[in-house]
mmCIF file of all heavy atoms in Angstrom:
data_model
loop_
_atom_site.group_PDB
_atom_site.id
_atom_site.type_symbol
_atom_site.label_atom_id
_atom_site.label_comp_id
_atom_site.label_asym_id
_atom_site.label_seq_id
_atom_site.Cartn_x
_atom_site.Cartn_y
_atom_site.Cartn_z
ATOM 1 N N ALA J 21 44.169 70.553 45.831
ATOM 2 C CA ALA J 21 42.971 69.996 45.164
ATOM 3 C C ALA J 21 43.048 70.058 43.649
ATOM 4 O O ALA J 21 42.622 69.175 42.929
ATOM 5 C CB ALA J 21 41.739 70.725 45.630
ATOM 6 N N LYS J 22 43.734 71.145 43.174
ATOM 7 C CA LYS J 22 43.907 71.229 41.637
ATOM 8 C C LYS J 22 44.783 70.155 41.272
ATOM 9 O O LYS J 22 44.516 69.445 40.169
ATOM 10 C CB LYS J 22 44.580 72.547 41.407
ATOM 11 C CG LYS J 22 44.844 72.779 39.963
ATOM 12 C CD LYS J 22 45.642 74.096 39.724
ATOM 13 C CE LYS J 22 46.278 74.216 38.310
ATOM 14 N NZ LYS J 22 47.087 75.367 38.167
ATOM 15 N N GLY J 23 45.906 69.872 41.976
ATOM 16 C CA GLY J 23 46.791 68.734 41.584
ATOM 17 C C GLY J 23 46.081 67.390 41.700
ATOM 18 O O GLY J 23 46.366 66.499 40.785
ATOM 19 N N LEU J 24 45.227 67.155 42.674
ATOM 20 C CA LEU J 24 44.475 66.010 42.704
ATOM 21 C C LEU J 24 43.556 65.808 41.561
ATOM 22 O O LEU J 24 43.425 64.648 41.042
ATOM 23 C CB LEU J 24 43.732 65.962 43.995
ATOM 24 C CG LEU J 24 42.991 64.625 44.350
ATOM 25 C CD1 LEU J 24 43.977 63.435 44.556
ATOM 26 C CD2 LEU J 24 42.231 64.780 45.710
ATOM 27 N N ASP J 25 42.836 66.812 41.215
ATOM 28 C CA ASP J 25 41.954 66.749 39.991
ATOM 29 C C ASP J 25 42.768 66.393 38.730
ATOM 30 O O ASP J 25 42.255 65.629 37.897
ATOM 31 C CB ASP J 25 41.317 68.200 39.755
ATOM 32 C CG ASP J 25 40.140 68.470 40.845
ATOM 33 O OD1 ASP J 25 39.716 67.464 41.345
ATOM 34 O OD2 ASP J 25 39.783 69.606 40.954
ATOM 35 N N GLU J 26 44.044 66.924 38.586
ATOM 36 C CA GLU J 26 44.811 66.515 37.414
ATOM 37 C C GLU J 26 45.117 65.004 37.493
ATOM 38 O O GLU J 26 44.998 64.342 36.407
ATOM 39 C CB GLU J 26 46.131 67.367 37.383
ATOM 40 C CG GLU J 26 45.891 68.808 37.140
ATOM 41 C CD GLU J 26 47.176 69.552 36.974
ATOM 42 O OE1 GLU J 26 48.278 68.926 37.179
ATOM 43 O OE2 GLU J 26 47.118 70.711 36.658
ATOM 44 N N MET J 27 45.307 64.460 38.690
ATOM 45 C CA MET J 27 45.457 63.028 38.729
ATOM 46 C C MET J 27 44.269 62.230 38.454
ATOM 47 O O MET J 27 44.222 61.169 37.768
ATOM 48 C CB MET J 27 45.950 62.638 40.265
ATOM 49 C CG MET J 27 47.336 63.147 40.439
ATOM 50 S SD MET J 27 48.544 62.284 39.408
ATOM 51 C CE MET J 27 50.043 62.845 40.302
ATOM 52 N N HIS J 28 43.068 62.834 38.863
ATOM 53 C CA HIS J 28 41.839 62.220 38.559
ATOM 54 C C HIS J 28 41.610 62.076 36.968
ATOM 55 O O HIS J 28 40.980 61.144 36.439
ATOM 56 C CB HIS J 28 40.672 62.896 39.202
ATOM 57 C CG HIS J 28 40.568 62.809 40.636
ATOM 58 N ND1 HIS J 28 39.764 63.625 41.383
ATOM 59 C CD2 HIS J 28 41.162 61.951 41.444
ATOM 60 C CE1 HIS J 28 39.852 63.236 42.616
ATOM 61 N NE2 HIS J 28 40.670 62.235 42.744
ATOM 62 N N ALA J 29 42.137 62.839 36.158
ATOM 63 C CA ALA J 29 42.010 62.968 34.706
ATOM 64 C C ALA J 29 42.577 61.713 34.161
ATOM 65 O O ALA J 29 42.061 61.297 33.118
ATOM 66 C CB ALA J 29 42.644 64.185 34.095
ATOM 67 N N TYR J 30 43.603 61.084 34.768
ATOM 68 C CA TYR J 30 44.183 59.881 34.206
ATOM 69 C C TYR J 30 43.229 58.593 34.590
ATOM 70 O O TYR J 30 43.581 57.502 34.092
ATOM 71 C CB TYR J 30 45.533 59.576 34.864
ATOM 72 C CG TYR J 30 46.588 60.686 34.381
ATOM 73 C CD1 TYR J 30 46.995 61.541 35.249
ATOM 74 C CD2 TYR J 30 47.004 60.644 33.029
ATOM 75 C CE1 TYR J 30 47.938 62.516 34.777
ATOM 76 C CE2 TYR J 30 47.845 61.536 32.644
ATOM 77 C CZ TYR J 30 48.428 62.424 33.523
ATOM 78 O OH TYR J 30 49.341 63.387 33.103
ATOM 79 N N GLN J 31 42.222 58.838 35.439
ATOM 80 C CA GLN J 31 41.326 57.756 35.838
ATOM 81 C C GLN J 31 41.951 56.409 36.196
ATOM 82 O O GLN J 31 41.646 55.312 35.517
ATOM 83 C CB GLN J 31 40.158 57.476 34.557
ATOM 84 C CG GLN J 31 39.476 58.799 34.279
ATOM 85 C CD GLN J 31 38.415 58.503 33.282
ATOM 86 O OE1 GLN J 31 37.587 57.578 33.412
ATOM 87 N NE2 GLN J 31 38.278 59.329 32.272
ATOM 88 N N PRO J 32 42.703 56.442 37.200
ATOM 89 C CA PRO J 32 43.435 55.128 37.605
ATOM 90 C C PRO J 32 42.378 54.392 38.440
ATOM 91 O O PRO J 32 41.309 54.857 38.898
ATOM 92 C CB PRO J 32 44.467 55.560 38.575
ATOM 93 C CG PRO J 32 43.893 56.945 39.169
ATOM 94 C CD PRO J 32 43.209 57.524 37.999
ATOM 95 N N ASP J 33 42.689 53.108 38.582
ATOM 96 C CA ASP J 33 41.889 52.220 39.569
ATOM 97 C C ASP J 33 42.136 52.579 40.978
ATOM 98 O O ASP J 33 41.224 52.558 41.898
ATOM 99 C CB ASP J 33 42.172 50.753 39.245
ATOM 100 C CG ASP J 33 41.933 50.307 37.865
ATOM 101 O OD1 ASP J 33 40.794 50.554 37.492
ATOM 102 O OD2 ASP J 33 42.671 49.684 37.205
ATOM 103 N N LEU J 34 43.436 52.932 41.310
ATOM 104 C CA LEU J 34 43.890 53.221 42.624
ATOM 105 C C LEU J 34 44.681 54.444 42.595
ATOM 106 O O LEU J 34 45.684 54.662 41.774
ATOM 107 C CB LEU J 34 44.599 52.133 43.213
ATOM 108 C CG LEU J 34 45.179 52.341 44.639
ATOM 109 C CD1 LEU J 34 44.016 52.296 45.658
ATOM 110 C CD2 LEU J 34 46.161 51.197 44.997
ATOM 111 N N LEU J 35 44.427 55.541 43.502
ATOM 112 C CA LEU J 35 45.141 56.715 43.607
ATOM 113 C C LEU J 35 45.507 56.843 45.277
ATOM 114 O O LEU J 35 44.704 56.808 46.086
ATOM 115 C CB LEU J 35 44.404 57.889 43.254
ATOM 116 C CG LEU J 35 45.157 59.173 42.912
ATOM 117 C CD1 LEU J 35 44.356 60.156 42.079
ATOM 118 C CD2 LEU J 35 45.441 59.948 44.215
ATOM 119 N N LEU J 36 46.859 57.006 45.339
ATOM 120 C CA LEU J 36 47.316 57.158 46.714
ATOM 121 C C LEU J 36 47.972 58.514 46.893
ATOM 122 O O LEU J 36 48.936 58.862 46.147
ATOM 123 C CB LEU J 36 48.343 56.022 47.174
ATOM 124 C CG LEU J 36 47.844 54.635 47.030
ATOM 125 C CD1 LEU J 36 49.024 53.648 47.313
ATOM 126 C CD2 LEU J 36 46.731 54.354 47.911
ATOM 127 N N MET J 37 47.420 59.250 47.765
ATOM 128 C CA MET J 37 47.923 60.649 47.973
ATOM 129 C C MET J 37 48.736 60.573 49.346
ATOM 130 O O MET J 37 48.163 60.300 50.451
ATOM 131 C CB MET J 37 46.808 61.646 48.137
ATOM 132 C CG MET J 37 47.161 62.979 48.631
ATOM 133 S SD MET J 37 45.810 64.183 48.409
ATOM 134 C CE MET J 37 46.236 65.385 49.708
ATOM 135 N N GLU J 38 50.069 60.823 49.318
ATOM 136 C CA GLU J 38 50.883 60.728 50.338
ATOM 137 C C GLU J 38 51.057 62.023 51.007
ATOM 138 O O GLU J 38 51.249 63.102 50.396
ATOM 139 C CB GLU J 38 52.184 60.138 50.066
ATOM 140 C CG GLU J 38 53.166 59.885 51.273
ATOM 141 C CD GLU J 38 54.537 59.582 50.950
ATOM 142 O OE1 GLU J 38 54.887 59.090 49.883
ATOM 143 O OE2 GLU J 38 55.429 60.118 51.686
ATOM 144 N N GLY J 39 50.944 62.100 52.374
ATOM 145 C CA GLY J 39 51.217 63.318 53.178
ATOM 146 C C GLY J 39 52.619 63.536 53.470
ATOM 147 O O GLY J 39 53.502 62.844 52.828
ATOM 148 N N ALA J 40 52.878 64.544 54.223
ATOM 149 C CA ALA J 40 54.254 64.982 54.666
ATOM 150 C C ALA J 40 54.205 64.874 56.178
ATOM 151 O O ALA J 40 53.323 65.470 56.809
ATOM 152 C CB ALA J 40 54.709 66.299 54.145
ATOM 153 N N GLY J 41 55.219 64.343 56.820
ATOM 154 C CA GLY J 41 55.294 64.237 58.233
ATOM 155 C C GLY J 41 54.137 63.580 58.816
ATOM 156 O O GLY J 41 53.729 62.547 58.207
ATOM 157 N N GLY J 42 53.506 63.943 59.901
ATOM 158 C CA GLY J 42 52.497 63.197 60.560
ATOM 159 C C GLY J 42 51.088 63.845 60.209
ATOM 160 O O GLY J 42 51.067 64.544 59.247
ATOM 161 N N TRP J 43 50.109 63.362 60.969
ATOM 162 C CA TRP J 43 48.653 63.761 60.700
ATOM 163 C C TRP J 43 48.549 65.260 60.816
ATOM 164 O O TRP J 43 48.013 65.831 59.942
ATOM 165 C CB TRP J 43 47.725 63.009 61.485
ATOM 166 C CG TRP J 43 46.327 63.335 61.310
ATOM 167 C CD1 TRP J 43 45.448 63.949 62.178
ATOM 168 C CD2 TRP J 43 45.502 63.028 60.149
ATOM 169 N NE1 TRP J 43 44.213 64.103 61.593
ATOM 170 C CE2 TRP J 43 44.263 63.452 60.368
ATOM 171 C CE3 TRP J 43 45.884 62.355 58.961
ATOM 172 C CZ2 TRP J 43 43.216 63.377 59.338
ATOM 173 C CZ3 TRP J 43 44.720 62.300 57.979
ATOM 174 C CH2 TRP J 43 43.539 62.711 58.158
ATOM 175 N N ARG J 44 49.056 65.868 61.757
ATOM 176 C CA ARG J 44 48.823 67.260 61.967
ATOM 177 C C ARG J 44 49.997 67.998 61.419
ATOM 178 O O ARG J 44 50.801 68.789 62.243
ATOM 179 C CB ARG J 44 48.651 67.614 63.612
ATOM 180 C CG ARG J 44 47.383 67.119 64.118
ATOM 181 C CD ARG J 44 46.276 68.041 63.745
ATOM 182 N NE ARG J 44 45.027 67.668 64.528
ATOM 183 C CZ ARG J 44 43.923 67.077 63.849
ATOM 184 N NH1 ARG J 44 43.913 66.926 62.498
ATOM 185 N NH2 ARG J 44 42.874 66.743 64.607
ATOM 186 N N LEU J 45 50.186 68.065 60.164
ATOM 187 C CA LEU J 45 51.194 68.808 59.544
ATOM 188 C C LEU J 45 50.620 70.272 59.298
ATOM 189 O O LEU J 45 49.765 70.343 58.519
ATOM 190 C CB LEU J 45 51.663 68.192 58.276
ATOM 191 C CG LEU J 45 52.665 68.929 57.423
ATOM 192 C CD1 LEU J 45 54.027 68.526 57.952
ATOM 193 C CD2 LEU J 45 52.519 68.862 56.000
ATOM 194 N N PRO J 46 51.190 71.216 59.878
ATOM 195 C CA PRO J 46 50.678 72.638 59.620
ATOM 196 C C PRO J 46 51.041 73.127 58.169
ATOM 197 O O PRO J 46 52.163 72.977 57.766
ATOM 198 C CB PRO J 46 51.356 73.484 60.631
ATOM 199 C CG PRO J 46 52.678 72.730 61.037
ATOM 200 C CD PRO J 46 52.297 71.288 60.902
ATOM 201 N N LEU J 47 50.121 73.708 57.572
ATOM 202 C CA LEU J 47 50.359 74.393 56.315
ATOM 203 C C LEU J 47 50.610 75.950 56.573
ATOM 204 O O LEU J 47 51.386 76.580 55.915
ATOM 205 C CB LEU J 47 49.226 74.119 55.300
ATOM 206 C CG LEU J 47 48.873 72.678 54.936
ATOM 207 C CD1 LEU J 47 47.698 72.667 53.953
ATOM 208 C CD2 LEU J 47 50.132 71.991 54.452
ATOM 209 N N THR J 48 49.811 76.457 57.453
ATOM 210 C CA THR J 48 50.034 77.813 57.864
ATOM 211 C C THR J 48 49.847 77.832 59.424
ATOM 212 O O THR J 48 49.018 77.002 60.033
ATOM 213 C CB THR J 48 48.997 78.755 57.325
ATOM 214 O OG1 THR J 48 47.664 78.434 57.683
ATOM 215 C CG2 THR J 48 49.086 78.782 55.832
ATOM 216 N N VAL J 49 50.580 78.672 60.115
ATOM 217 C CA VAL J 49 50.436 78.771 61.589
ATOM 218 C C VAL J 49 49.812 80.194 61.833
ATOM 219 O O VAL J 49 50.521 81.187 61.457
ATOM 220 C CB VAL J 49 51.817 78.590 62.232
ATOM 221 C CG1 VAL J 49 51.758 78.838 63.748
ATOM 222 C CG2 VAL J 49 52.451 77.224 61.943
ATOM 223 N N GLY J 50 48.702 80.284 62.459
ATOM 224 C CA GLY J 50 47.959 81.515 62.701
ATOM 225 C C GLY J 50 48.231 82.016 64.098
ATOM 226 O O GLY J 50 49.196 81.705 64.761
ATOM 227 N N ASP J 51 47.393 82.906 64.458
ATOM 228 C CA ASP J 51 47.465 83.551 65.826
ATOM 229 C C ASP J 51 46.035 83.455 66.438
ATOM 230 O O ASP J 51 45.224 82.664 66.026
ATOM 231 C CB ASP J 51 47.883 84.979 65.615
ATOM 232 C CG ASP J 51 47.140 85.744 64.667
ATOM 233 O OD1 ASP J 51 45.933 85.479 64.413
ATOM 234 O OD2 ASP J 51 47.782 86.624 63.934
ATOM 235 N N GLU J 52 45.798 84.366 67.418
ATOM 236 C CA GLU J 52 44.492 84.353 68.025
ATOM 237 C C GLU J 52 43.370 84.712 67.094
ATOM 238 O O GLU J 52 42.135 84.427 67.381
ATOM 239 C CB GLU J 52 44.437 85.181 69.306
ATOM 240 C CG GLU J 52 44.606 86.666 69.086
ATOM 241 C CD GLU J 52 45.902 87.266 69.367
ATOM 242 O OE1 GLU J 52 46.947 86.746 68.674
ATOM 243 O OE2 GLU J 52 45.994 88.122 70.167
ATOM 244 N N TYR J 53 43.737 85.464 66.016
ATOM 245 C CA TYR J 53 42.588 85.793 65.038
ATOM 246 C C TYR J 53 42.468 84.823 63.866
ATOM 247 O O TYR J 53 41.517 84.783 63.206
ATOM 248 C CB TYR J 53 42.977 87.261 64.574
ATOM 249 C CG TYR J 53 43.200 88.200 65.721
ATOM 250 C CD1 TYR J 53 44.434 88.707 65.980
ATOM 251 C CD2 TYR J 53 42.040 88.713 66.442
ATOM 252 C CE1 TYR J 53 44.569 89.618 67.050
ATOM 253 C CE2 TYR J 53 42.196 89.546 67.404
ATOM 254 C CZ TYR J 53 43.430 90.063 67.738
ATOM 255 O OH TYR J 53 43.535 90.946 68.830
ATOM 256 N N THR J 54 43.613 84.210 63.538
ATOM 257 C CA THR J 54 43.605 83.281 62.350
ATOM 258 C C THR J 54 44.072 81.895 62.836
ATOM 259 O O THR J 54 45.172 81.719 63.300
ATOM 260 C CB THR J 54 44.537 83.773 61.242
ATOM 261 O OG1 THR J 54 44.267 85.182 60.969
ATOM 262 C CG2 THR J 54 44.485 82.995 59.921
ATOM 263 N N PRO J 55 43.058 80.924 62.637
ATOM 264 C CA PRO J 55 43.472 79.518 63.087
ATOM 265 C C PRO J 55 44.596 78.929 62.174
ATOM 266 O O PRO J 55 44.754 79.279 61.066
ATOM 267 C CB PRO J 55 42.129 78.841 63.018
ATOM 268 C CG PRO J 55 41.428 79.537 61.926
ATOM 269 C CD PRO J 55 41.783 80.955 62.087
ATOM 270 N N THR J 56 45.224 78.105 62.779
ATOM 271 C CA THR J 56 46.309 77.261 62.005
ATOM 272 C C THR J 56 45.518 76.320 61.114
ATOM 273 O O THR J 56 44.511 75.851 61.491
ATOM 274 C CB THR J 56 47.227 76.466 63.007
ATOM 275 O OG1 THR J 56 48.011 77.516 63.969
ATOM 276 C CG2 THR J 56 48.146 75.671 62.293
ATOM 277 N N TYR J 57 46.187 76.124 59.965
ATOM 278 C CA TYR J 57 45.522 75.261 58.939
ATOM 279 C C TYR J 57 46.488 74.083 58.674
ATOM 280 O O TYR J 57 47.704 74.308 58.426
ATOM 281 C CB TYR J 57 45.295 76.073 57.536
ATOM 282 C CG TYR J 57 44.576 75.393 56.496
ATOM 283 C CD1 TYR J 57 43.229 74.980 56.799
ATOM 284 C CD2 TYR J 57 45.054 75.070 55.360
ATOM 285 C CE1 TYR J 57 42.440 74.361 55.873
ATOM 286 C CE2 TYR J 57 44.269 74.452 54.297
ATOM 287 C CZ TYR J 57 43.015 74.122 54.589
ATOM 288 O OH TYR J 57 42.148 73.483 53.701
ATOM 289 N N TYR J 58 45.841 72.861 58.828
ATOM 290 C CA TYR J 58 46.680 71.706 58.780
ATOM 291 C C TYR J 58 46.415 70.938 57.376
ATOM 292 O O TYR J 58 45.330 71.071 56.762
ATOM 293 C CB TYR J 58 46.301 70.791 59.956
ATOM 294 C CG TYR J 58 46.578 71.293 61.256
ATOM 295 C CD1 TYR J 58 45.577 71.959 62.008
ATOM 296 C CD2 TYR J 58 47.972 71.276 61.813
ATOM 297 C CE1 TYR J 58 45.874 72.478 63.170
ATOM 298 C CE2 TYR J 58 48.137 71.809 63.109
ATOM 299 C CZ TYR J 58 47.213 72.352 63.756
ATOM 300 O OH TYR J 58 47.343 72.996 65.033
ATOM 301 N N LEU J 59 47.340 70.069 57.039
ATOM 302 C CA LEU J 59 47.135 69.178 55.937
ATOM 303 C C LEU J 59 45.940 68.282 56.140
ATOM 304 O O LEU J 59 45.171 67.911 55.260
ATOM 305 C CB LEU J 59 48.336 68.410 55.560
ATOM 306 C CG LEU J 59 48.309 67.544 54.351
ATOM 307 C CD1 LEU J 59 47.924 68.205 53.103
ATOM 308 C CD2 LEU J 59 49.652 66.666 54.193
ATOM 309 N N SER J 60 45.804 67.941 57.395
ATOM 310 C CA SER J 60 44.673 67.053 57.821
ATOM 311 C C SER J 60 43.318 67.730 57.477
ATOM 312 O O SER J 60 42.269 67.117 57.234
ATOM 313 C CB SER J 60 44.627 66.659 59.243
ATOM 314 O OG SER J 60 44.837 67.797 60.104
#
């Protein structure tokens, strides 16, 4: 989100944020106590 805010500072007409892999890209993989966190 910090990086996105820096992009907003340029005030473009169009901003495209590209993901990595597919929709359910894990950022962290948890266990029964900590859920997995996805880029989605």
Side-chain angles (χ1 to χ4, degrees):
K22 175 186 173 185
L24 186 63
D25 284 342
E26 289 184 359
M27 290 296 185
H28 287 168
Y30 292 109
Q31 300 187 47
D33 296 310
L34 178 67
L35 194 160
L36 301 179
M37 173 173 155
E38 185 195 325
W43 181 245
R44 287 283 186 251
L45 180 89
L47 301 183
T48 60
V49 175
D51 51 32
E52 67 254 62
Y53 305 107
T54 307
T56 295
Y57 190 59
Y58 299 95
L59 183 55
S60 55

